[in-house]
Amino acid sequence: MKKIILLFLILFSTINANAQVDSTLFKDTPRDTLAEDTMNMDAVYERPFFQAGTSPVSVGGYIEADYQYIGEDGITEGHTFRVPRFTLFVGSTIHPKVKFLSEIEFEEGGNEIAIEFAALDINFFPMLNFRGGIIMNPIGAFNQNHDGPKWEFVDRPIAMTEMLPATWSNVGFGLYGKRYVNDWAFGYEVYLTNGFDNSIIANGENKTFLPAAKENFERFEESNNGQPLITGKLAVKNQNIGEIGLSYMGGVYNTFEDDGLILDEERRLDVFAIDFNTSLEKTSTYITGEWAWVMVDVPETYGQQFGDRQQGGFVDIVQPVFRQPLAGFENAVLNLAVRLEYVDWNVGTFRETGANISDDLWAIVPGVSFRPSAQTVLRLNYRYMQQQDILGNPAAKIAGIQIGISSYF
């Protein structure tokens, strides 16, 4: 409750300051000085912000609301309406080369409030910039570029949220930079942060489950084991081809000692990911995708339902079919889209029989989206997926309709 009161006091003071100036003085905040051309690493700054007059503070945000009617093997829980997230951005240009940006997310109707990003950036040179605070670990692309209004689908990719823990952020420091050569752009990021904890194998899911670590808010105050988590990414973009990124995140996850008492051996978590996006010039088709591999050192005393290897990803294909003024919207766009996704939470075979360990899921999500403006999207999706248990019993068939709206403001 205290957090809610504090957040509203901060917002009230910001709104109150803005209310003292004419609304016509609100303007778009100038882009990041590095953003001559954007890459996924620029996502935190590539958002619509509004600034009052000469105030150094700018604000923005987005909201998502959706409806779904989904059943599993013919059984449904009925109609469901949700506001899965309401996010506020507050930024400030302290100096032309010193910037602060924060992202505060209200989830599940305000039951959960999370500071997903609150970092100070100091720009020394285009290829050498310092970032410190609560940062978004750059593993893959979705973790960095997750804002709802940017996507044509109601749900976030399962592999990125239920295998990887997007959105995953932590306290730490690091460096990043970009360089342009003709049609090419090269970017890098490397950070040291607090890391995961034992909950990735000691959780209610009864399997290896990285998102369980998001419940540990103490990670914003101290490390679980005194060992840093390393996250790094290299990305290359060509104006005519697209962008591809290679990223890594790894470190010791368990509490292996306590006050000098050795409790366990050091156990590592390592994640590799590749992401890409491109736009086909002739058809304006937009394609984006990501695939990740997870490796976890699971104690031998754990059952085989705790996978030591996981993999999964998604591909989105979006095809504009209508683009012209409509009902007062100058740049209305209607898209057809489809998402293909797959997750295997336990890659491997049973030691006793050599049979495949299942515990996997695949899904296909065709949809239609309408964008009255670039910042707002209405989405209609049909989700169909099949999920197998660890023994490979006949898959549960899950299907249903999802309707959603999301917009920056």
Side-chain angles (χ1 to χ4, degrees):
M1 188 62 184
K2 291 181 179 178
K3 292 181 179 178
I4 296 176
I5 295 173
L6 177 61
L7 287 170
F8 273 95
L9 286 174
I10 294 171
L11 292 173
F12 176 77
S13 62
T14 303
I15 293 169
N16 188 49
N18 289 344
Q20 296 175 23
V21 298
D22 190 284
S23 61
T24 58
L25 297 180
F26 285 84
K27 61 184 181 182
D28 289 331
T29 303
R31 286 184 169 190
D32 174 30
T33 53
L34 294 175
E36 298 172 16
D37 185 33
T38 60
M39 303 173 72
N40 281 313
M41 63 184 293
D42 303 311
V44 293
Y45 283 111
E46 286 303 303
R47 293 158 162 167
F49 282 91
F50 291 91
Q51 185 178 20
T54 59
S55 169
V57 177
S58 53
V59 297
Y62 72 87
I63 187 171
E64 288 188 274
D66 61 53
Y67 156 85
Q68 66 178 18
Y69 186 84
I70 290 182
E72 179 175 336
D73 292 333
I75 300 174
T76 175
E77 295 183 354
H79 306 275
T80 299
F81 298 86
R82 305 182 306 165
V83 177
R85 56 193 61 87
F86 166 61
T87 300
L88 294 173
F89 312 134
V90 178
S92 177
T93 300
I94 301 166
H95 177 277
K97 287 180 169 287
V98 181
K99 299 177 181 180
F100 169 79
L101 182 64
S102 63
E103 178 180 349
I104 303 169
E105 188 161 286
F106 298 75
E107 296 181 333
E108 307 299 336
N111 283 333
E112 295 185 13
I113 302 174
I115 301 176
E116 293 196 338
F117 189 88
L120 195 66
D121 287 3
I122 303 176
N123 305 148
F124 295 106
F125 306 100
M127 280 296 288
L128 181 62
N129 306 276
F130 176 83
R131 172 171 291 166
I134 299 176
I135 67 169
M136 201 76 70
N137 297 72
I139 183 67
F142 183 83
N143 202 48
Q144 301 173 291
N145 199 6
H146 59 265
D147 291 357
K150 294 183 176 180
W151 299 83
E152 315 303 315
F153 300 92
V154 173
D155 281 344
R156 291 175 165 180
I158 296 174
M160 308 302 87
T161 56
E162 299 296 320
M163 185 184 74
L164 298 185
T167 52
W168 172 250
S169 56
N170 224 319
V171 179
F173 301 91
L175 303 173
Y176 67 96
K178 289 201 306 186
R179 178 175 173 80
Y180 297 91
V181 179
N182 299 322
D183 290 337
W184 293 88
F186 165 80
Y188 80 91
E189 295 175 87
V190 58
Y191 302 102
L192 297 177
T193 68
N194 289 335
F196 291 85
D197 58 32
N198 297 45
S199 67
I200 66 171
I201 57 170
N203 54 68
E205 298 290 331
N206 202 31
K207 65 181 181 182
T208 303
F209 191 64
L210 272 59
K214 292 176 63 178
E215 303 300 322
N216 179 17
F217 293 102
E218 291 185 357
R219 73 181 192 275
F220 295 121
E221 298 180 354
E222 62 179 350
S223 171
N224 169 59
N225 51 27
Q227 300 293 311
L229 180 73
I230 300 173
T231 312
K233 182 171 184 179
L234 298 174
V236 177
K237 181 175 182 178
N238 181 281
Q239 298 297 328
N240 303 312
I241 300 175
E243 177 180 346
I244 185 169
L246 302 174
S247 49
Y248 166 78
M249 177 173 68
V252 176
Y253 69 87
N254 65 322
T255 305
F256 54 88
E257 68 173 353
D258 185 16
D259 291 334
L261 178 65
I262 301 300
L263 304 175
D264 192 4
E265 61 183 88
E266 297 183 6
R267 300 189 181 279
R268 288 189 58 84
L269 159 74
D270 296 285
V271 181
F272 298 87
I274 181 170
D275 61 83
F276 70 94
N277 66 77
T278 186
S279 181
L280 307 182
E281 184 176 356
K282 289 186 177 180
T283 60
S284 298
T285 308
Y286 183 70
I287 303 172
T288 184
E290 183 173 337
W291 194 269
W293 297 266
V294 177
M295 282 148 278
V296 179
D297 180 7
V298 178
E300 294 182 356
T301 54
Y302 275 59
Q304 295 178 71
Q305 70 269 31
F306 292 87
D308 57 4
R309 288 175 293 157
Q310 300 177 328
Q311 63 177 349
F314 73 97
V315 175
D316 286 1
I317 303 172
V318 180
Q319 179 61 58
V321 295
F322 174 92
R323 188 193 299 271
Q324 65 181 56
L326 178 68
F329 297 103
E330 297 180 356
N331 298 302
V333 180
L334 181 69
N335 297 303
L336 298 179
V338 64
R339 167 174 291 169
L340 307 174
E341 48 187 336
Y342 176 79
V343 189
D344 188 344
W345 280 279
N346 199 332
V347 178
T349 59
F350 287 106
R351 289 191 290 268
E352 296 83 358
T353 64
N356 178 57
I357 300 176
S358 296
D359 200 7
D360 52 29
L361 173 153
W362 64 264
I364 179 169
V365 189
V368 178
S369 67
F370 175 65
R371 291 185 176 273
S373 71
Q375 298 177 1
T376 303
V377 60
L378 291 86
R379 306 176 280 218
L380 170 62
N381 298 164
Y382 175 76
R383 170 170 290 278
Y384 179 82
M385 60 185 183
Q386 292 192 6
Q387 183 167 10
Q388 280 191 309
D389 62 17
I390 185 173
L391 299 176
N393 289 312
K397 298 176 181 177
I398 302 165
I401 296 292
Q402 298 173 303
I403 300 173
I405 184 171
S406 184
S407 181
Y408 286 111
F409 56 84

mmCIF file of all heavy atoms in Angstrom, residues 42-58:
data_model
loop_
_atom_site.group_PDB
_atom_site.id
_atom_site.type_symbol
_atom_site.label_atom_id
_atom_site.label_comp_id
_atom_site.label_asym_id
_atom_site.label_seq_id
_atom_site.Cartn_x
_atom_site.Cartn_y
_atom_site.Cartn_z
ATOM 1 N N ASP A 42 17.546 0.072 -28.787
ATOM 2 C CA ASP A 42 17.036 1.430 -28.589
ATOM 3 C C ASP A 42 15.593 1.447 -28.089
ATOM 4 O O ASP A 42 15.006 2.523 -27.931
ATOM 5 C CB ASP A 42 17.093 2.207 -29.911
ATOM 6 C CG ASP A 42 18.483 2.256 -30.480
ATOM 7 O OD1 ASP A 42 19.418 2.593 -29.726
ATOM 8 O OD2 ASP A 42 18.644 1.948 -31.667
ATOM 9 N N ALA A 43 15.011 0.273 -27.857
ATOM 10 C CA ALA A 43 13.578 0.209 -27.572
ATOM 11 C C ALA A 43 13.165 1.052 -26.369
ATOM 12 O O ALA A 43 12.069 1.617 -26.348
ATOM 13 C CB ALA A 43 13.159 -1.246 -27.357
ATOM 14 N N VAL A 44 14.018 1.141 -25.352
ATOM 15 C CA VAL A 44 13.620 1.896 -24.157
ATOM 16 C C VAL A 44 13.412 3.377 -24.456
ATOM 17 O O VAL A 44 12.636 4.048 -23.772
ATOM 18 C CB VAL A 44 14.638 1.734 -23.024
ATOM 19 C CG1 VAL A 44 14.658 0.309 -22.507
ATOM 20 C CG2 VAL A 44 16.028 2.169 -23.468
ATOM 21 N N TYR A 45 14.106 3.881 -25.480
ATOM 22 C CA TYR A 45 13.956 5.297 -25.833
ATOM 23 C C TYR A 45 12.997 5.520 -26.988
ATOM 24 O O TYR A 45 12.523 6.638 -27.192
ATOM 25 C CB TYR A 45 15.319 5.899 -26.185
ATOM 26 C CG TYR A 45 16.176 6.193 -24.983
ATOM 27 C CD1 TYR A 45 17.328 5.463 -24.736
ATOM 28 C CD2 TYR A 45 15.823 7.198 -24.085
ATOM 29 C CE1 TYR A 45 18.117 5.721 -23.624
ATOM 30 C CE2 TYR A 45 16.605 7.462 -22.984
ATOM 31 C CZ TYR A 45 17.755 6.726 -22.749
ATOM 32 O OH TYR A 45 18.517 6.981 -21.655
ATOM 33 N N GLU A 46 12.737 4.470 -27.770
ATOM 34 C CA GLU A 46 11.853 4.618 -28.931
ATOM 35 C C GLU A 46 10.395 4.492 -28.525
ATOM 36 O O GLU A 46 9.689 3.597 -28.966
ATOM 37 C CB GLU A 46 12.230 3.589 -29.998
ATOM 38 C CG GLU A 46 13.511 3.913 -30.726
ATOM 39 C CD GLU A 46 13.461 5.280 -31.393
ATOM 40 O OE1 GLU A 46 12.553 5.487 -32.212
ATOM 41 O OE2 GLU A 46 14.299 6.121 -31.072
ATOM 42 N N ARG A 47 9.970 5.376 -27.676
ATOM 43 C CA ARG A 47 8.594 5.419 -27.202
ATOM 44 C C ARG A 47 8.111 6.852 -27.288
ATOM 45 O O ARG A 47 8.906 7.800 -27.180
ATOM 46 C CB ARG A 47 8.527 4.958 -25.744
ATOM 47 C CG ARG A 47 8.874 3.496 -25.536
ATOM 48 C CD ARG A 47 9.295 3.219 -24.135
ATOM 49 N NE ARG A 47 9.238 1.807 -23.791
ATOM 50 C CZ ARG A 47 9.796 1.275 -22.708
ATOM 51 N NH1 ARG A 47 10.485 2.046 -21.889
ATOM 52 N NH2 ARG A 47 9.681 -0.010 -22.451
ATOM 53 N N PRO A 48 6.795 7.027 -27.448
ATOM 54 C CA PRO A 48 6.287 8.400 -27.475
ATOM 55 C C PRO A 48 6.274 9.011 -26.083
ATOM 56 O O PRO A 48 5.620 8.490 -25.178
ATOM 57 C CB PRO A 48 4.868 8.223 -28.021
ATOM 58 C CG PRO A 48 4.489 6.826 -27.669
ATOM 59 C CD PRO A 48 5.757 6.018 -27.696
ATOM 60 N N PHE A 49 7.016 10.068 -25.901
ATOM 61 C CA PHE A 49 7.047 10.814 -24.647
ATOM 62 C C PHE A 49 6.480 12.204 -24.894
ATOM 63 O O PHE A 49 6.545 12.735 -26.003
ATOM 64 C CB PHE A 49 8.476 10.952 -24.135
ATOM 65 C CG PHE A 49 9.006 9.716 -23.471
ATOM 66 C CD1 PHE A 49 9.683 8.761 -24.196
ATOM 67 C CD2 PHE A 49 8.828 9.519 -22.112
ATOM 68 C CE1 PHE A 49 10.179 7.628 -23.595
ATOM 69 C CE2 PHE A 49 9.320 8.383 -21.490
ATOM 70 C CZ PHE A 49 10.001 7.441 -22.233
ATOM 71 N N PHE A 50 5.959 12.787 -23.863
ATOM 72 C CA PHE A 50 5.492 14.166 -23.946
ATOM 73 C C PHE A 50 6.165 14.980 -22.856
ATOM 74 O O PHE A 50 6.365 14.519 -21.740
ATOM 75 C CB PHE A 50 3.975 14.231 -23.807
ATOM 76 C CG PHE A 50 3.266 13.640 -24.987
ATOM 77 C CD1 PHE A 50 2.912 12.302 -25.002
ATOM 78 C CD2 PHE A 50 2.994 14.420 -26.108
ATOM 79 C CE1 PHE A 50 2.283 11.742 -26.102
ATOM 80 C CE2 PHE A 50 2.364 13.862 -27.212
ATOM 81 C CZ PHE A 50 2.006 12.518 -27.208
ATOM 82 N N GLN A 51 6.496 16.198 -23.242
ATOM 83 C CA GLN A 51 7.262 17.060 -22.360
ATOM 84 C C GLN A 51 6.569 18.409 -22.286
ATOM 85 O O GLN A 51 6.078 18.929 -23.287
ATOM 86 C CB GLN A 51 8.681 17.228 -22.922
ATOM 87 C CG GLN A 51 9.621 18.012 -22.053
ATOM 88 C CD GLN A 51 11.010 18.081 -22.689
ATOM 89 O OE1 GLN A 51 11.157 17.885 -23.885
ATOM 90 N NE2 GLN A 51 12.000 18.364 -21.893
ATOM 91 N N ALA A 52 6.488 18.975 -21.099
ATOM 92 C CA ALA A 52 5.831 20.266 -20.910
ATOM 93 C C ALA A 52 6.855 21.389 -20.966
ATOM 94 O O ALA A 52 7.727 21.471 -20.104
ATOM 95 C CB ALA A 52 5.097 20.294 -19.581
ATOM 96 N N GLY A 53 6.714 22.241 -21.992
ATOM 97 C CA GLY A 53 7.574 23.410 -22.090
ATOM 98 C C GLY A 53 9.042 23.068 -21.999
ATOM 99 O O GLY A 53 9.539 22.194 -22.700
ATOM 100 N N THR A 54 9.731 23.753 -21.100
ATOM 101 C CA THR A 54 11.165 23.532 -20.933
ATOM 102 C C THR A 54 11.475 22.580 -19.792
ATOM 103 O O THR A 54 12.626 22.436 -19.396
ATOM 104 C CB THR A 54 11.863 24.880 -20.671
ATOM 105 O OG1 THR A 54 11.280 25.466 -19.488
ATOM 106 C CG2 THR A 54 11.702 25.818 -21.846
ATOM 107 N N SER A 55 10.430 21.937 -19.246
ATOM 108 C CA SER A 55 10.660 20.991 -18.154
ATOM 109 C C SER A 55 11.585 19.875 -18.611
ATOM 110 O O SER A 55 11.448 19.350 -19.716
ATOM 111 C CB SER A 55 9.318 20.393 -17.708
ATOM 112 O OG SER A 55 9.548 19.294 -16.838
ATOM 113 N N PRO A 56 12.542 19.474 -17.771
ATOM 114 C CA PRO A 56 13.439 18.378 -18.155
ATOM 115 C C PRO A 56 12.780 17.012 -18.035
ATOM 116 O O PRO A 56 13.356 16.014 -18.437
ATOM 117 C CB PRO A 56 14.594 18.511 -17.159
ATOM 118 C CG PRO A 56 13.958 19.108 -15.944
ATOM 119 C CD PRO A 56 12.894 20.038 -16.452
ATOM 120 N N VAL A 57 11.563 16.966 -17.477
ATOM 121 C CA VAL A 57 10.886 15.700 -17.237
ATOM 122 C C VAL A 57 9.885 15.429 -18.354
ATOM 123 O O VAL A 57 9.121 16.313 -18.754
ATOM 124 C CB VAL A 57 10.161 15.699 -15.877
ATOM 125 C CG1 VAL A 57 9.398 14.385 -15.675
ATOM 126 C CG2 VAL A 57 11.155 15.914 -14.748
ATOM 127 N N SER A 58 9.881 14.204 -18.872
ATOM 128 C CA SER A 58 8.907 13.791 -19.884
ATOM 129 C C SER A 58 8.198 12.537 -19.387
ATOM 130 O O SER A 58 8.752 11.758 -18.605
ATOM 131 C CB SER A 58 9.595 13.529 -21.223
ATOM 132 O OG SER A 58 10.663 12.625 -21.068
#
